[in-house]
Amino acid sequence: MATGRNHRPATRSRGIPEATVARLPLYLRALTALSERSVPTVSSEELASAAGVNSAKLRKDFSYLGSYGTRGVGYDVEYLVYQISRELGLTQDWPVVIVGIGNLGAALANYGGFASRGFRVAALIDADPTMTGKQVAGIAVQHVDDLEAIIETGGVSIGVITTPGGAAQQVCDRLVAAGITSILNFAPTVLSVPEGVDVRKVDLSIELQILAFHEQRKAAEDLSRGVRRGARGAARGTGAPRAERAPRATRATAVSRVAEPGVEPAPPASATTATTGTGTSTKAAVKRGGGRGEHEGPDGEIPAVMPA
């Protein structure tokens, strides 16, 4: 298999937009999963859903590859895998060097997905002398002093930087001087490179901060919706629980109020007072309609007053 050191991907010469190039790996991942399940064809809607894009954008992206699918049938999965792999340059062998063999560098070295996607870890490099000669993922770690020679003899195409931020720019400069024009940067810093050198930045802390922003916004929206619901409920007069409202009296359950001994109670505002020869009696006025019970007083009950 030819090495990729002196081969550049064909996407630029064919005029494929960078946004489309960025989505091709998403399509390839979804297609690879379909291929592993022996799915022969897939519709644009199904593939777009699996890749997380809309179907119109997918069809536009595939038109740059010269693949239009078959109406009523869809896209041939295996052929699309080949097309996208060829366009991304994954049918070639791309030797990769990882500089900085800490926890992250060692994890990348042990990642099994590189080989299946056309990438071969050619060398592991670290500045710590105690790391030299140690085996990581079956590869002996080499000292950073030999960086240029390792790149030259190994035909390395891509450099991966997993060093601390303070050392990243120096490592980047040495990689570029040694002929590396494609760099994947995991260090928490922005690298300065000359024109013609491609750098892809992977910053986990930035991704987490973006997620924190969205979580905060969703929480604020939930709170705002709760406040609006409460305001609408109060406007409809449903704020007070029904159990706290005064009970209505019915004809069969009128409650009598007995006056204290020696004290003549004052008649209620709705009562009619009549004077007879034997004393004063109060007759409760009965108000019909208006939503109250037939014998309901102003407080929801009929006050019954005994003569003095």
Side-chain angles (χ1 to χ4, degrees), residues 78-91:
E78 293 298 334
Y79 183 61
L80 264 185
V81 168
Y82 166 74
Q83 273 190 306
I84 296 176
S85 296
R86 181 188 62 186
E87 204 63 49
L88 290 174
L90 303 183
T91 56

Side-chain angles (χ1 to χ4, degrees), residues 82-200:
Y82 166 74
Q83 273 190 306
I84 296 176
S85 296
R86 181 188 62 186
E87 204 63 49
L88 290 174
L90 303 183
T91 56
Q92 305 178 51
D93 175 42
W94 297 98
V96 175
V97 60
I98 300 176
V99 184
I101 313 304
N103 292 332
L104 178 56
L108 291 175
N110 280 284
Y111 175 55
F114 285 141
S116 63
R117 289 167 173 79
F119 302 96
R120 174 174 55 85
V121 179
L124 304 177
I125 300 175
D126 198 274
D128 185 357
T130 63
M131 289 291 296
T132 302
K134 287 188 176 180
Q135 294 282 321
V136 176
I139 303 172
V141 177
Q142 302 180 67
H143 196 267
V144 72
D145 289 347
D146 301 323
L147 176 65
E148 290 78 8
I150 294 168
I151 292 172
E152 181 62 30
T153 58
V156 176
S157 305
I158 300 172
V160 179
I161 298 177
T162 54
T163 66
Q169 185 62 57
Q170 182 182 2
V171 170
C172 175
D173 293 341
R174 292 182 63 181
L175 289 172
V176 172
I180 297 294
T181 56
S182 295
I183 297 173
L184 182 61
N185 178 33
F186 284 89
T189 186
V190 177
L191 300 176
S192 176
V193 296
E195 186 177 353
V197 176
D198 296 316
V199 176
R200 300 289 299 180

Side-chain angles (χ1 to χ4, degrees), residues 291-304:
R292 295 182 181 270
E294 290 184 357
H295 298 270
E296 187 173 350
D299 295 327
E301 300 171 345
I302 300 177

Side-chain angles (χ1 to χ4, degrees), residues 31 40-45 47 55 58-77 79-80 83:
L31 287 164
T41 59
V42 62
S43 69
S44 59
E45 289 78 11
L47 183 55
S55 57
L58 177 142
R59 288 191 291 268
K60 180 66 173 178
D61 289 341
F62 284 179
S63 70
Y64 291 110
L65 306 180
S67 181
Y68 297 93
T70 304
R71 183 178 296 276
V73 177
Y75 294 94
D76 183 285
V77 171
Y79 183 61
L80 264 185
Q83 273 190 306

